[in-house]
Amino acid sequence: MEVNGYIIEPYADLRDADLRDADLSGANLTGANLTGAKIVRANLEAADLIGANLTGAILSGANLAGANL
């Protein structure tokens, strides 16, 4: 899956990625590196984020309903 020019897949390196307003519903981001990513207002409903590194990520206004953290 490609979103905003980024490949969304398990263990993806998404450091400092700009994923604002992205539809990531149901995405498999297991073990992804999201350090410093801008995930503002993104839809992460039912996304799999197990083991993802969210250090410094901005999740303001993100929909995390049913997300697996």
Side-chain angles (χ1 to χ4, degrees):
M1 159 196 265
E2 186 174 327
V3 175
N4 293 3
Y6 299 98
I7 301 299
I8 306 300
E9 62 187 6
Y11 303 97
D13 184 1
L14 297 167
R15 281 177 287 182
D16 300 314
D18 185 352
L19 296 168
R20 286 178 280 196
D21 300 307
D23 182 4
L24 299 167
S25 56
N28 184 351
L29 287 163
T30 300
N33 183 359
L34 291 157
T35 302
K38 294 165 197 73
I39 313 172
V40 177
R41 296 178 309 274
N43 182 9
L44 290 157
E45 186 173 353
D48 190 350
L49 293 156
I50 296 225
N53 184 348
L54 293 164
T55 303
I58 303 168
L59 292 157
S60 176
N63 176 7
L64 294 163
N68 198 356
L69 300 167

